[in-house]
Amino acid sequence: MAPIPTPPTEPSDNPDAYVGLAADRAEHLARERGWSSVRALAPGTIVTMEYRVGRLNFEVRDGRVARAWKG
């Protein structure tokens, strides 16, 4: 039987720190801090509920991050 893979670790980062930043600046900063995937979403966008390690989600309103969460 193959060993169970160890999931990669996420950056030690607080998603709330991105709220209020311009979306492009927030994405750049998130990638610098080690997030492998950064996704900007419009308010009310329907998203799947699967959790992806290393992904940071931004809800963007008027060009600024209104909400940020992992997964």
Side-chain angles (χ1 to χ4, degrees):
M1 204 175 205
I4 297 174
T6 303
T9 59
E10 291 181 328
S12 179
D13 195 16
N14 181 358
D16 292 336
Y18 296 93
V19 175
L21 297 178
D24 56 345
R25 173 69 182 133
E27 181 175 351
H28 180 76
L29 188 58
R31 292 190 187 282
E32 279 184 348
R33 291 180 176 173
W35 292 99
S36 59
S37 177
V38 179
R39 162 168 92 160
L41 305 163
T45 299
I46 297 171
V47 295
T48 58
M49 296 300 295
E50 88 281 358
Y51 187 90
R52 294 201 42 200
V53 174
R55 178 169 65 190
L56 189 61
N57 300 288
F58 295 141
E59 181 179 291
V60 178
R61 287 189 196 137
D62 299 322
R64 298 214 166 264
V65 176
R67 180 177 159 233
W69 68 98
K70 297 179 182 183

